[in-house]
Amino acid sequence: MQNITLTVVKADVYEEIAKTTSYVGAKKIGNDADSYERIFTTDEDRQMLERFWHEACNAVTTQMRDFLSDVSQLGDSFFTDINANYELELNMPDRFETKLTNSIEKELFTFFVCFILGQWYSMTNVEDAEGQAKKAEGVIKNVMDKIYYLTPPVL
């Protein structure tokens, strides 16, 4: 067995969400004058985003349970600690392809962004919510395909 550690940096996820919601809100202004204010996430929205962060953490923990050695503890959902990253330690089989670790970590980042955007859009941008949710499902499937991939045995 070999251990790998995967980390999703919360500040980076929240920054990407702010950037994406700002862009999407601005692009929809032609159709809806209030779209920017409704879609763009602000510091005041952090408590709601924190709930979605916790849901994403729980979803990944559930997916990884077969290999889970340790997982970071989630804080109180009423307070946002921007430095409280999500970290998983996994016990992987000897034939796990360690070269995939970086790719898995990057896809987990993408999953968190898509998952949280899907939840956020369900309240602020309904027409894009389902697309984000489906994208998140596809990304976590790709992650799990890599997690379960084993190198061919050496004879």
Side-chain angles (χ1 to χ4, degrees), residues 8-18 42-43 46 49-50 53-54 76 79-86:
V8 180
V9 179
K10 185 191 283 187
D12 293 348
V13 170
Y14 282 14
E15 182 178 329
E16 186 64 25
I17 289 167
T42 64
D43 288 342
R46 286 270 171 92
L49 294 176
E50 188 73 6
W53 168 266
H54 284 232
D76 185 348
F79 302 102
T80 303
D81 180 359
I82 198 70
N83 297 313
N85 300 327
Y86 178 69

Side-chain angles (χ1 to χ4, degrees), residues 77-139:
S77 63
F78 295 107
F79 302 102
T80 303
D81 180 359
I82 198 70
N83 297 313
N85 300 327
Y86 178 69
E87 191 168 283
L88 283 166
E89 186 177 314
L90 305 176
N91 272 333
M92 301 304 293
D94 290 331
R95 290 182 29 227
F96 170 73
E97 180 58 77
T98 57
K99 294 175 190 169
L100 295 174
T101 304
N102 189 44
S103 176
I104 292 168
E105 200 167 62
K106 289 183 184 317
E107 280 193 298
L108 281 177
F109 169 83
T110 301
F111 169 77
F112 271 74
V113 170
C114 292
F115 181 91
I116 294 169
L117 282 173
Q119 297 296 330
W120 180 251
Y121 286 170
S122 70
M123 298 183 307
T124 64
N125 182 19
V126 176
E127 63 270 12
D128 292 338
E130 186 178 344
Q132 281 298 324
K134 285 184 179 184
K135 186 174 179 183
E137 288 174 19
V139 171

Side-chain angles (χ1 to χ4, degrees), residues 27-40:
K27 289 295 182 184
K28 289 188 180 271
I29 284 182
N31 302 334
D32 177 0
D34 297 327
S35 65
Y36 187 81
E37 289 79 25
R38 187 181 70 253
I39 296 171
F40 176 59

Side-chain angles (χ1 to χ4, degrees), residues 47-61:
Q47 188 172 353
M48 186 59 70
L49 294 176
E50 188 73 6
R51 185 181 116 213
F52 301 148
W53 168 266
H54 284 232
E55 291 173 7
C57 291
N58 289 332
V60 171
T61 300

Side-chain angles (χ1 to χ4, degrees), residues 17-28:
I17 289 167
K19 184 172 35 175
T20 302
T21 57
S22 174
Y23 180 81
V24 170
K27 289 295 182 184
K28 289 188 180 271

